Amino acid sequence: MKQHNPREIALRQFSRAAEIMELEDWIKNILSYPERTVKVHIPVKMDSGEVQVFVGYRCQYNAALGPYKGGIRYSPDVDEDEVVALAQWMTFKCALVDVPFGGAKGGVKVDPKKLSRAELERLTRRFTYEIVPVIGPSIDIPAPDVYTNDEIMSWIMDTYSIIKGYNEPAVVTGKPTYIGGSKGRKEATGRGVAISTREVLKLYGEDIKGKTIAIQGFGNVAVFAGLILQDMGAKIVAVSDSKGGIYSPEGLDIRDVVKHVYGDEEVNGKKKSVISYPGGKQISNEELLLLDVDVLIPSAIENQITEENADKIRARYIVEGANGPTTFEADEILFKRGIVVVPDILANSGGVIVSYLEWVQDRMGYYWEEEEVNEKLEKKLVKAINEVFHTLNLYREKGKEIDWRTAAYILSIERIAKVYRKRGLFP
Ligand code: NAD
């Protein structure tokens, strides 16, 4: 078991909200468990001719609101508890931003950096084959997550389509635009993180212009959040990756860092580490989290802000680009210190909002321009942010001080509970 078990954290977050909102026991019980977790063993012929067997999961947490939806990650840290926690977060994220999806998540325990491109393709196609019985446009729709990208989504779509005997772009989102992807999907999560930052600051009477920001990570979420926040007038003073970070109090030119790290490749292509960028001082990931900035945006992996460093955080706002970067104990410390934590299920929901728009476009066979997609994304997200703030104030008026995460959970749990109350329980 991991030191900070994400399943345990996710359940404690849910239970805290369920208790405060006085959720009926029967609904609380249902929402405490995943509906189904499929575990598969994936045999892959390696380039050497040897056959290696990898373990993969697809957790389908809840489908009260619609087909299951959630990314697939490739990482050596993947295990069942992590996948279930991520699927639970997806369930509440979809409900929170009001898209008609349930929650799911998948993962393969593998270090993709150690695989050749051909091995990665064979692994993806065989994993898809193993989960074909449980996925589909009306059943469960995967998407990219850590160390998976639009190419991997294309292999999933292709494998599924070949097995079914017809082209089915709506089985997966996060595809390239020329095979049924949505314009704006690649940037969507980062765009959502940037919009969340700007809007939450606005709710507290602050302007994004000139604010100093540290971003942990330099992958899909971090890069686009950084670029868009920079365009909004914020100053990105630090970014990092798994090797470490760079810091420049005058502000980094994120476009230039992207050019250095990714060259002419897409953001998901082969890359250098940010630490080789000449324009900043090298710092560790731990140091990045403790920088004296206005906003901290963890956008890499889980469990970065814990009871060990929460009392040393100097940012006034934390906007969770990553899923689960803050532990339950850390949340309590930050809340007592008056630091606003914009939770993952809200802050990084831009990805699933545009995934929903991609699925809609695939199903109707008509594709929108990027402006239209971005407009729809912003409208949905800003609405959710305001609703969470409203919930927060509603509970404050009742004499219950709650944090943004709890308010977001309450809102999304209520949306799912309402459906259960009306649909009832089969049989
Ligand atoms: P990615 O693979 O593109 O990037 C991950 C980044 O994290 C990389 O820069 C990597 O170097 C860095 N990283 C890995 N291990 C690290 C470590 N130990 N310390 C510091 N940095 C480390 O992944 P992504 O798609 O940007 O996802 C990042 C986070 O955002 C994940 O938590 C993911 O679940 C979440 N998320 C992603 C999306 C999406 O649409 N991609 C949507 C919602 C949430």
Side-chain angles (χ1 to χ4, degrees):
M1 195 183 272
K2 287 175 188 162
Q3 200 198 347
H4 294 285
N5 184 297
R7 169 93 178 108
E8 204 179 292
I9 295 171
L11 266 181
R12 289 175 78 184
Q13 292 169 343
F14 164 68
S15 303
R16 175 177 52 192
E19 198 177 308
I20 291 171
M21 67 190 285
E22 296 172 15
L23 180 68
E24 300 94 305
D25 274 346
W26 69 279
I27 299 174
K28 182 170 183 229
N29 285 342
I30 293 172
L31 292 177
S32 297
Y33 300 95
E35 289 175 2
R36 180 187 297 125
T37 306
V38 177
K39 180 179 182 184
V40 296
H41 291 97
I42 314 153
V44 180
K45 198 179 280 172
M46 308 306 280
D47 293 345
S48 64
E50 169 214 8
V51 172
Q52 270 187 37
V53 179
F54 297 90
V55 178
Y57 303 91
R58 185 70 183 167
C59 172
Q60 300 177 327
Y61 200 87
N62 188 279
L65 298 188
Y68 304 101
K69 184 87 189 83
I72 289 178
R73 70 169 53 175
Y74 287 173
S75 153
D77 295 329
V78 163
D79 63 21
E80 186 171 340
D81 278 349
E82 181 184 84
V83 172
V84 173
L86 288 160
Q88 187 209 283
W89 285 322
M90 279 309 296
T91 303
F92 296 124
K93 190 182 299 181
C94 292
L96 180 64
V97 292
D98 210 9
V99 295
F101 285 141
K105 202 80 180 193
V108 178
K109 193 174 180 62
V110 58
D111 185 350
K113 290 181 189 160
K114 294 199 176 127
L115 263 51
S116 69
R117 188 170 171 273
E119 288 168 339
L120 204 59
E121 179 173 350
R122 289 195 290 273
L123 170 78
T124 302
R125 289 186 182 278
R126 186 61 191 244
F127 178 52
T128 307
Y129 171 80
E130 301 295 343
I131 60 170
V132 156
V134 296
I135 63 171
S138 300
I139 307 169
D140 181 357
I141 307 118
D145 193 67
V146 176
Y147 297 137
T148 55
N149 54 31
D150 63 353
E151 182 165 51
I152 290 173
M153 296 308 114
S154 306
W155 292 330
I156 295 176
M157 178 272 189
D158 185 69
T159 306
Y160 184 89
S161 297
I162 285 174
I163 291 170
K164 293 291 175 186
Y166 52 85
N167 241 20
E168 189 47 276
V171 66
V172 68
T173 58
K175 304 175 295 292
T177 46
Y178 46 90
I179 60 163
S182 174
K183 291 191 174 134
R185 171 61 184 92
K186 197 172 51 176
E187 301 83 359
T189 308
R191 181 176 301 281
V193 169
I195 293 171
S196 303
T197 309
R198 185 194 65 202
E199 292 300 309
V200 170
L201 285 172
K202 210 193 280 172
L203 287 169
Y204 288 100
E206 298 196 45
D207 192 344
I208 186 73
K209 285 201 179 66
K211 291 288 178 297
T212 53
I213 298 182
I215 303 180
Q216 186 189 36
F218 208 62
N220 174 275
V221 179
V223 163
F224 291 110
L227 287 171
I228 296 166
L229 281 162
Q230 184 171 294
D231 289 345
M232 288 176 178
K235 193 155 85 173
I236 318 301
V237 296
V239 294
S240 70
D241 56 35
S242 57
K243 304 239 165 58
I246 45 168
Y247 171 59
S248 164
E250 294 78 41
L252 296 158
D253 177 352
I254 298 300
R255 258 181 201 93
D256 201 47
V257 185
V258 171
K259 207 156 109 201
H260 173 82
V261 170
Y262 292 98
D264 293 328
E265 298 276 340
E266 291 260 339
V267 163
N268 55 26
K270 290 254 178 267
K271 57 181 171 128
K272 295 182 201 160
S273 168
V274 293
I275 59 173
S276 63
Y277 182 73
K281 176 181 165 237
Q282 274 194 30
I283 54 169
S284 67
N285 267 292
E286 291 73 26
E287 286 167 327
L288 181 142
L289 298 170
L290 305 181
L291 285 174
D292 188 6
V293 286
D294 296 307
V295 186
L296 172 65
I297 306 187
S299 301
I301 50 166
E302 290 108 90
N303 297 330
Q304 295 304 292
I305 303 168
T306 66
E307 64 272 34
E308 268 133 50
N309 60 10
D311 56 351
K312 300 190 209 91
I313 300 263
R314 287 188 280 174
R316 294 180 294 119
Y317 296 88
I318 297 174
V319 181
E320 295 184 334
N323 285 311
T326 313
T327 66
F328 191 84
E329 287 80 10
D331 248 351
E332 298 196 322
I333 298 170
L334 296 168
F335 183 55
K336 279 191 196 125
R337 294 187 54 213
I339 296 171
V340 172
V341 180
V342 187
D344 44 13
I345 59 169
L346 181 63
N348 69 33
S349 64
V352 79
I353 294 175
V354 177
S355 271
Y356 164 59
L357 299 175
E358 177 173 336
W359 177 80
V360 169
Q361 293 171 82
D362 286 337
R363 296 200 110 187
M364 65 180 177
Y366 177 74
Y367 292 86
W368 296 313
E369 289 306 320
E370 186 168 349
E371 262 173 26
E372 195 165 352
V373 172
N374 289 346
E375 222 171 82
K376 288 182 160 68
L377 157 66
E378 182 152 349
K379 203 167 161 196
K380 255 196 177 313
L381 183 57
V382 172
K383 183 164 178 268
I385 292 166
N386 285 303
E387 283 169 343
V388 174
F389 193 61
H390 176 72
T391 307
L392 196 84
N393 289 329
L394 219 63
Y395 274 82
R396 182 165 295 153
E397 281 161 23
K398 287 193 224 167
K400 288 184 189 169
E401 287 291 334
I402 57 171
D403 60 6
W404 274 73
R405 192 184 317 279
T406 309
Y409 265 80
I410 289 175
L411 196 61
S412 68
I413 293 169
E414 182 49 35
R415 290 213 172 113
I416 300 171
K418 198 169 148 192
V419 170
Y420 272 108
R421 286 181 206 122
K422 208 68 172 175
R423 279 177 65 164
L425 184 63
F426 174 83

